[in-house]
Amino acid sequence: MEQKYIQAAIDYKKNIAGKFMLVEGALLKQRLDGERFAVTRKIDGHLQVLFYDGGKVTMLNSQGNQKAESLKCLDAAAQALKKAGVKQAVIAAELYVPRPDGRPRCGDVASALASSPDQLALAPFDIVELDCSEWKAEHYADTHNRLCTIFQDEQVKPVPMRSASSLDEVQAIYDEWVIGEGAEGLVVHSESPIVWKVKQRHTIDAAVIGYTTTERGIRDLMFAVRREDGLYQMFVLGSSGLSDEDRASIAERLSKTHAESQYVLSDSRGIAYQMVRPEMVMEISVLELVPMGNDGKVKRNPLLKYDDKQGWLMEGVTPGVSVLGITIERERTDKKPTETDVRLSQLTDIVPFEETEGANAKTEPSKLLERHVYKKTSGDKVMLHKFLLWKTNKEQTGRYPAYVFYHTDYSSGRKEMIKRDMAYSNDEKQIREILAAEIEENVKKGWEEVK
């Protein structure tokens, strides 16, 4: 595979598709502007970049990877380009599985690639290069018209587009396609250089598992959903939608539910989130769930286990999402943080999680970065503190953190002679700060470091 193809595919997502302005459908009249609109229907599939040269089409995803070399839809695309007299082209398209009875789903693509690839179709939506020249058009409508003259096969058909001359007409298209027919959203072009991605909000019931405060009360809440195995998947932080009265009241209530935690996360001020017992459930709304960043990296969420005695235990990390446009709508006093009421499928029904590249790859052994042991005696009583700092070398799997801190506290004169504590982080600076803070807190006068 030529490196220039790989880089071009990565750059397209980063520099173009990743910079659309996200707008809530209910606010499109306030946020959009222009006089001549080209409105396309957003297809829920996998972004691909097609490279046509020498009569053959090569398809790469936004990470620069080739998922399939031979597909019926790729052959159809090559035939269409050849028939149109095109010598060379770079085309952006969505790879998807058509659903005559409803909206295509992103998750269908992986299944079709594995079992029924002939079902797959392509929806071209942009031209990057045509006949060895950078494609330039005065308006997106010209780009779409050119795509329509090239691709006319049922398996390779440009995204549906309608023209509109007012925001009222754009709203009517949104109401028909998104509200009425369940489309994922719209992409709206005008004479402005801004391209708008218009979507509707999704509501999710989530457990509150942590918080930070300011003088007003709540600064941010930490939200998680729950998997069928009972683990909590933390996926978003936020507080938009709370009134000052809400912030004060919720902070007071949560202050009575503090819990111990191996998991440590700090906000932008460097203040750690206070973890709490999973008792409160909130209904939040989100504008978009993003399973993969513009850099091609899969989004990962912490996996946590709650134990009544030990508090929050870190179980690793897992492919997940980041969230755009969170608003807290209300408290759900009728719901509990169970696998049913705050179920994980609320997220995966909106967007399937991406698999981390290299998740099944061979991993390196963990490396011990630091080891400190301190001893103190008092009569017959022996006390020890052992601090270990590990680099796991398994963070690329998407299932383990990069760094682990481990503390063993031993006292021969105590009923519970051995106590253990752990913390995890993907940031080396943060984990070293945790190590230093724990040593400072636990090792006072009279302790001697031993090998």
Side-chain angles (χ1 to χ4, degrees), residues 20 36-40 125 139-141 187-192 194-196:
F20 290 1
R36 180 188 173 203
F37 300 96
V39 183
T40 61
F125 63 86
H139 196 282
Y140 177 77
V187 177
V188 183
H189 303 256
S190 72
E191 57 274 18
S192 165
I194 299 173
V195 180
W196 295 280

Side-chain angles (χ1 to χ4, degrees), residues 15 59 187 192 230 234 239 282 332 387 395 415 421 449:
N15 299 329
M59 181 177 74
V187 177
S192 165
M234 194 281 282
S239 64
M282 291 284 190
R332 293 299 303 264
F387 304 93
E395 61 270 25
K415 182 178 180 181
D421 190 21
E449 186 167 8

Side-chain angles (χ1 to χ4, degrees), residues 370-382:
E370 292 194 39
R371 178 181 183 273
H372 302 278
V373 180
Y374 297 88
K375 181 179 180 181
K376 183 178 181 181
T377 58
S378 177
D380 294 333
K381 187 166 69 172
V382 177

Side-chain angles (χ1 to χ4, degrees), residues 295-340:
D295 58 2
K297 293 182 179 180
V298 172
K299 298 294 184 181
R300 297 184 292 184
N301 297 151
L303 274 182
L304 306 172
K305 177 182 179 181
Y306 182 73
D307 180 88
D308 287 335
K309 293 182 178 180
Q310 300 180 74
W312 290 101
L313 307 174
M314 183 73 178
E315 295 291 315
V317 292
T318 185
V321 293
S322 64
V323 176
L324 300 177
I326 176 178
T327 298
I328 299 172
E329 302 292 345
R330 58 175 174 148
E331 183 176 357
R332 293 299 303 264
T333 55
D334 59 322
K335 295 201 171 186
K336 302 293 183 183
T338 64
E339 292 90 335
T340 300

Side-chain angles (χ1 to χ4, degrees), residues 259-272:
E260 295 295 322
S261 179
Q262 290 179 356
Y263 176 64
V264 180
L265 180 69
S266 300
D267 63 17
S268 59
R269 304 168 298 174
I271 297 175

Side-chain angles (χ1 to χ4, degrees), residues 224-233 306 337-340 342-345:
V225 287
R226 200 165 184 186
R227 308 190 330 167
E228 290 183 357
D229 59 10
L231 297 180
Y232 290 82
Q233 182 163 334
Y306 182 73
T338 64
E339 292 90 335
T340 300
V342 296
R343 61 193 179 279
L344 175 69
S345 62

